[in-house]
């Protein structure tokens, strides 16, 4: 990817950077992909679990889930969708500012995705493979850029 010097648009003090950072503002697709998956996941849950949600709302939501597998599955399904929205927004925010993704983010998402695929192969976990690959591409590119700058 293209490289740029940190600018005052970055949220961190540009003087604190000692290397170039990847310019992902042109193709910041990873965060948008995760956001899209989160939207699809949440909309799917709201539509297909609407009867269970209606029951929960009719009962006032508080303490309406514990010990009932269908309700627990509905809660966790929607909760996961909302978590993907938050994660996607964060990744998009980092991408649009040209801030490198931390390696732990790629590894964490890879482990969660692989575990999900292993436990539930017939699921949407497969959709996360593309953003995970994109994260690793950026992480590897950043590591190579740091290595080149240190060698220079």
């Amino acid at each position: 990817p293209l490289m740029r010097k940190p600018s005052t648009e970055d949220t961190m003090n540009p003087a604190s950077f000692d290397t170039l950072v990847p310019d992902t503002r042109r193709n910041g697709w990873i965060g948008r992909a995760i956001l899209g998956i989160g939207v699809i996941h949440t909309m799917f849950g709201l539509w297909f679990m609407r009867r269970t949600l209606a029951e929960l709302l009719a009962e006032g939501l508080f303490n309406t889930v514990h010990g009932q597998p269908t309700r627990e599955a509905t809660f966790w399904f929607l909760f996961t969708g909302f978590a993907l929205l938050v994660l996607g927004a964060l990744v998009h925010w980092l991408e649009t500012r040209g801030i490198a993704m931390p390696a732990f983010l790629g590894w964490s998402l890879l482990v969660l995705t692989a575990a999900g695929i292993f436990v539930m192969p017939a699921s949407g976990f497969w959709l996360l493979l593309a953003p995970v690959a994109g994260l690793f591409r950026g992480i590897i590119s950043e590591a190579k850029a740091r290595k080149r700058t240190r060698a220079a």
Side-chain angles (χ1 to χ4, degrees):
L2 299 172
M3 301 299 284
R4 68 176 175 84
K5 288 210 180 266
S7 69
T8 54
E9 295 173 3
D10 291 317
T11 56
M12 293 188 254
N13 179 1
S16 68
F17 287 95
D18 58 353
T19 62
L20 299 174
V21 295
D23 189 356
T24 58
R25 290 179 293 184
R26 291 188 187 185
N27 60 358
W29 64 272
I30 300 167
R32 287 194 312 266
I34 297 171
L35 276 166
I37 294 166
V39 166
I40 291 167
H41 197 276
T42 302
M43 297 306 291
F44 185 90
L46 289 172
W47 178 254
F48 287 101
M49 299 170 177
R50 64 186 181 278
R51 288 191 182 101
T52 304
L53 285 171
E55 291 172 8
L56 297 174
L57 290 170
E59 294 174 24
L61 282 180
F62 180 74
N63 201 25
T64 56
V65 171
H66 181 66
Q68 299 181 48
T70 301
R71 292 180 174 197
E72 289 173 347
T74 298
F75 171 80
W76 285 111
F77 193 91
L78 290 171
F79 195 83
T80 300
F82 296 137
L84 286 168
L85 291 171
V86 171
L87 177 63
L90 172 62
V91 170
H92 182 69
W93 185 85
L94 291 169
E95 285 179 308
T96 58
R97 284 156 182 78
I99 300 171
M101 302 293 158
F104 77 84
L105 181 62
W107 286 109
S108 300
L109 199 53
L110 175 64
V111 168
L112 290 171
T113 300
I117 289 171
F118 182 77
V119 174
M120 290 178 21
S123 70
F125 280 105
W126 294 95
L127 295 174
L128 288 169
L129 286 177
V132 166
L135 280 171
F136 275 103
R137 182 174 180 217
I139 290 165
I140 291 166
S141 176
E142 173 65 18
K144 286 179 181 177
R146 274 197 314 268
K147 195 174 188 179
R148 280 192 304 268
T149 349
R150 273 190 236 132

